[in-house]
Amino acid sequence: NAGVMQNPRHLVRRRGQEARLRCSPMKGHSHVYWYRQLPEEGLKFMVYLQKENIIDESGMPKERFSAEFPKEGPSILRIQQVVRGDSAAYFCASSPGLRDTQYFGPGTRLTVL
Amino acid sequence: QQPVQSPQAVILREGEDAVINCSSSKALYSVHWYRQKHGEAPVFLMILLKGGEQKGHEKISASFNEKKQQSSLYLTASQLSYSGTYFCGPLETSGSRLTFGEGTQLTVNP
């Protein structure tokens, strides 16, 4: 049973470009969570999605950031017009249901030049 | 609101014990514990549900006092492989997602 998959593992963007981060949850998991982690800091919640629905986006910046989890395909975190402050590791986690254990993917390291 | 973890960092010699505490100001449904090694993803250790239960994973165990909204992680006879940052992730009774603490950096030296 494959774990949570994220791609790309490393992403380099210039300021003003768009970044698209993908997350495929574990088989049988319909709940997806996105976190951001700055170097030497903790995991900051961004958004919680179920298939085709955003359940909680209270941790997501109001501008430039969006997330989706379509009926088919991976969950996508999209960052428009990236700035240097967006440089971080972005982790995706999935769980089979509400309040269940979350399993993390390997993360995407975003570097904005 | 973010839970408070203590200590922020701890250095041990192999074989020594450590306790990491996690405290929340909210009523909790469960507490999740993870360990993250540098440059890697967080790895799930254990989950504790309300009821004051205690769980164990090899020489790592944890307790959860729902009345005090606190959880503690106990590392016994530490091994070099225990080094990493430990995060607690409480789930509020009224909530639907985890809120992680800032982490406790544990270093085990030979």
Side-chain angles (χ1 to χ4, degrees):
Chain A
N1 188 10
V4 179
M5 299 177 69
Q6 288 187 250
N7 66 80
R9 296 289 304 275
H10 299 273
L11 182 61
V12 179
R13 285 287 178 265
R14 293 191 180 279
R15 279 179 296 170
Q17 291 184 320
E18 178 180 288
R20 280 190 179 228
L21 288 62
R22 294 174 185 77
C23 169
S24 296
M26 287 178 70
K27 189 176 181 180
H29 288 195
S30 59
H31 298 246
V32 166
Y33 311 81
W34 286 93
Y35 297 89
R36 178 164 62 179
Q37 187 175 40
L38 295 171
E40 310 305 322
E41 293 192 7
L43 296 154
K44 302 299 182 190
F45 167 79
M46 298 182 74
V47 61
Y48 162 34
L49 310 102
Q50 276 185 272
K51 281 288 187 181
E52 299 184 274
N53 291 306
I54 296 175
I55 306 301
D56 183 349
E57 56 181 349
S58 59
M60 193 108 92
K62 292 285 186 284
E63 297 179 355
R64 303 188 298 109
F65 286 74
S66 63
E68 62 177 10
F69 189 14
K71 188 176 180 181
E72 302 289 339
S75 174
I76 295 175
L77 179 68
R78 182 182 176 202
I79 310 173
Q80 294 179 293
Q81 299 175 325
V82 296
V83 300
R84 289 218 172 111
D86 296 332
S87 295
Y90 291 83
F91 289 100
C92 159
S94 74
S95 67
L98 180 65
R99 297 183 166 185
D100 288 335
T101 298
Q102 294 180 24
Y103 295 92
F104 282 80
T108 294
R109 272 79 180 166
L110 173 66
T111 302
V112 180
L113 301 177
Chain B
Q1 194 168 353
Q2 194 174 32
V4 176
Q5 280 188 238
S6 62
Q8 287 186 317
V10 58
I11 299 174
L12 302 174
R13 288 206 176 275
E14 209 172 355
E16 292 182 337
D17 302 341
V19 180
I20 299 172
N21 300 302
C22 175
S23 181
S24 174
S25 59
K26 306 279 188 177
L28 301 178
Y29 173 80
S30 64
V31 179
H32 303 224
W33 285 95
Y34 291 80
R35 177 173 62 209
Q36 183 179 31
K37 293 185 181 285
H38 186 70
E40 299 181 8
V43 173
F44 171 73
L45 292 176
M46 63 188 76
I47 178 174
L48 299 108
L49 302 175
K50 63 181 181 181
E53 70 173 295
Q54 195 154 351
K55 278 196 158 185
H57 175 72
E58 297 180 346
K59 292 180 181 176
I60 300 175
S61 62
S63 63
F64 175 30
N65 186 325
E66 66 191 82
K67 289 182 180 177
K68 292 186 177 180
Q69 295 139 221
Q70 293 175 347
S71 178
S72 294
L73 189 72
Y74 307 93
L75 298 103
T76 307
S78 57
Q79 305 169 13
L80 296 176
S81 61
Y82 286 4
S83 291
T85 302
Y86 289 77
F87 293 100
C88 70
L91 177 59
E92 297 173 15
T93 301
S94 59
S96 59
R97 46 92 168 177
L98 306 180
T99 302
F100 287 97
E102 284 298 320
T104 295
Q105 190 171 347
L106 179 78
T107 303
V108 181
N109 293 318

